[in-house]
Every structure is written in structure tokens, then in C-alpha cells.
Amino acid sequence: HWLDRTIVGHAFTDVQRTRRAFFLENAAERPERFFTNGEIEEWAIHWRQPIDAMKTRGAALDAMDVRYENMSRDAACELARICEFLGVDAGSHVVHRCVAASTFEVMSGGRRRGEDAPGQHVRNGVVGHWGRLFTVAGATVFDRLSGPCLIECGYEPDRGWTTRVPERLL
């Protein structure tokens, strides 16, 4: 959905046009980066805000941490946990029907997990694939705004993650 993202009244930048052409139209010119600095700044802050709210307000917020990684590993168990938190009937028949209706294959229109479709909101269903879209330049911007949170949440082991990504998109 980042590829199709537009702001009303704003034309695509050269970076956005190159990125769209490469990922959606199989153009030969590979962009150096997937995200612009502005996009990364917006995303880093947007991603970190609910995490910060949960940390500062704690139990008073009445919220729970739901992660794609946990849903991918054991959707039935995670959905049962969510239902319990919400006070909703979490009977196994309800959970299993919900899980069956929301598999990657169903949500993607029949693709198997790992089959990438860059222009689709349900892209490839691979845990951790987000990291492949970062370059050193982009990771440095994200790290400046949300790096400690990324580590606290267990997505990266240390601040050195910014050097373990490529200089250019692979």
C-alpha cells in the first residue's frame, strides 16, 4: 500500500515514480531506496506512538500487545488471547472459523505465503520481511526516531542493525 500511497493535491516525486515503476511495472531501473526520509520519519513516529502510550500509561490504558509474528506462529492461540482480553466468546469453533477465514491465502486471494505481490495490501505474509526494504540511509533515519523502541520490542538486537542492511535495495 506504500506504493499506491498518494496525497491529494500532490504529484508523485521522482523517487516515488521510480519506486512504483520498478515494483509494480517491472521497470529495469532499481531505486536506491524504497522509502524516502520523510516517509520513514512519518512511519517511525506512527509505529512508535502506541508503544510509547502503552509504556507510559501501563495497565491504566487497558490495551494489549498484538504482534503479527505471534499471529503468524499460532493464530488460534493469539486470537483466543485477544477474545479473552475483549471478553468475547473464545470457543474453539469461533476461533477456528475466524482463523480459517483470515489466513494469508484467503486474504491474498489465493497466493501462498511468500508469494510477493508488491502492489497489494496483503503483500507476502513473511515475518520480518520489512527489514529487506531498508537501506543504511533509511535505517539511520528510522533508528534516530525509533531505534531504542525497535530494540526494546525485540525486533533488532542492538543499534548496529543500521549497518546490517544494504547500501542499496537488493
Side-chain angles (χ1 to χ4, degrees), residues 3-167:
L3 293 171
D4 288 332
R5 182 184 160 141
T6 58
I7 300 171
V8 176
H10 289 80
F12 285 120
T13 66
D14 289 341
V15 170
Q16 290 168 322
R17 275 193 292 283
T18 301
R19 176 176 65 197
R20 286 172 55 87
F22 180 77
F23 285 99
L24 297 178
E25 302 160 18
N26 298 315
E29 183 182 359
R30 176 181 290 277
E32 287 187 32
R33 300 171 57 180
F34 187 83
F35 299 109
T36 65
N37 282 355
E39 290 168 336
I40 291 176
E41 288 169 355
E42 180 184 342
W43 184 33
I45 292 166
H46 178 78
W47 175 79
R48 192 188 73 224
Q49 284 176 335
I51 296 166
D52 287 346
M54 287 180 71
K55 285 191 312 191
T56 58
R57 296 192 185 123
L61 190 57
D62 198 25
M64 72 179 297
D65 182 19
V66 178
R67 296 178 183 227
Y68 179 70
E69 295 83 357
N70 297 340
M71 292 294 288
S72 182
R73 183 175 39 257
D74 190 344
C77 180
E78 190 68 0
L79 185 56
R81 188 176 76 87
I82 293 167
C83 289
E84 182 179 336
F85 176 82
L86 295 173
V88 175
D89 175 17
S92 64
H93 67 285
V94 172
V95 169
H96 290 291
R97 282 185 56 207
C98 291
V99 168
S102 62
T103 64
F104 176 79
E105 292 77 9
V106 169
M107 293 178 66
S108 68
R111 286 184 286 122
R112 283 189 267 153
R113 190 175 296 271
E115 287 182 37
D116 204 5
Q120 300 299 310
H121 185 73
V122 178
R123 221 180 62 239
N124 68 16
V126 175
V127 170
H129 192 261
W130 63 271
R132 294 185 55 208
L133 299 177
F134 273 100
T135 60
V136 170
T140 301
V141 172
F142 191 94
D143 187 70
R144 176 176 47 84
L145 296 166
S146 297
C149 190
L150 194 67
I151 295 161
E152 288 171 24
C153 290
Y155 290 108
E156 289 295 341
D158 54 52
R159 299 294 288 274
W161 76 275
T162 61
T163 63
R164 293 188 293 268
V165 295
E167 288 288 330

